[in-house]
Amino acid sequence: KGYAAWVHGVPMPEGAAGLAPAEGRIDLPLAADWPRRPRQRMCPERGKPSVTLWRRVAVDAGRGWTRLALEPLTGRTHQLRVHLAAIGHPIVGDPLYGPDPAPAGRLLLHAEHLAFEHPGRGEPVRFQVPAPF
């Protein structure tokens, strides 16, 4: 799976300065936030392992946004949304984890690449749809 998203701010790997390097890894365990369902939360005690790789694609300094390419290595509910909010860079327009409604009227997160083995034929199936934003 490969996703595109616009996030608030400019993400940086831990210990980095300036605009380089332009990629990182988020490794935070996630669990259901039962009192606030359907929200999920970071939970070191009871959370399941969750890993997301990110790469900076573009920075829109005027808006204070960064476009990221995202690759979830695990598939937890709301994983990309929770991970990015947890590092201080929520996805633009996220009504659950972000600070504002989307200027485009939607969450600016899009699955650009999906690939899997066809369950009946065992053949690889691939889809690629560029983000409309």
Side-chain angles (χ1 to χ4, degrees), residues 50-90:
S50 305
V51 178
T52 300
L53 303 179
W54 61 267
R55 180 176 46 84
R56 192 178 311 124
V57 175
V59 175
D60 184 333
R63 290 181 171 167
W65 297 355
T66 301
R67 186 178 175 122
L68 298 179
L70 303 167
E71 181 184 351
L73 299 184
T74 51
R76 308 290 176 223
T77 301
H78 295 183
Q79 176 177 319
L80 300 176
R81 297 166 71 180
V82 177
H83 273 176
L84 291 163
I87 66 166
H89 300 285

Side-chain angles (χ1 to χ4, degrees), residues 1-21:
K1 297 178 185 176
Y3 294 80
W6 281 100
V7 301
H8 291 277
V10 180
M12 307 253 270
E14 286 187 41
L19 287 180

Side-chain angles (χ1 to χ4, degrees), residues 32-39 41:
D33 187 349
W34 290 108
R36 301 189 307 161
R37 291 284 283 165
R39 291 175 57 103
R41 65 185 177 94

Side-chain angles (χ1 to χ4, degrees), residues 23-45:
E23 59 187 34
R25 176 185 176 103
I26 305 167
D27 190 348
L28 299 170
L30 301 180
D33 187 349
W34 290 108
R36 301 189 307 161
R37 291 284 283 165
R39 291 175 57 103
Q40 303 290 306
R41 65 185 177 94
M42 287 186 336
C43 183
E45 298 83 32

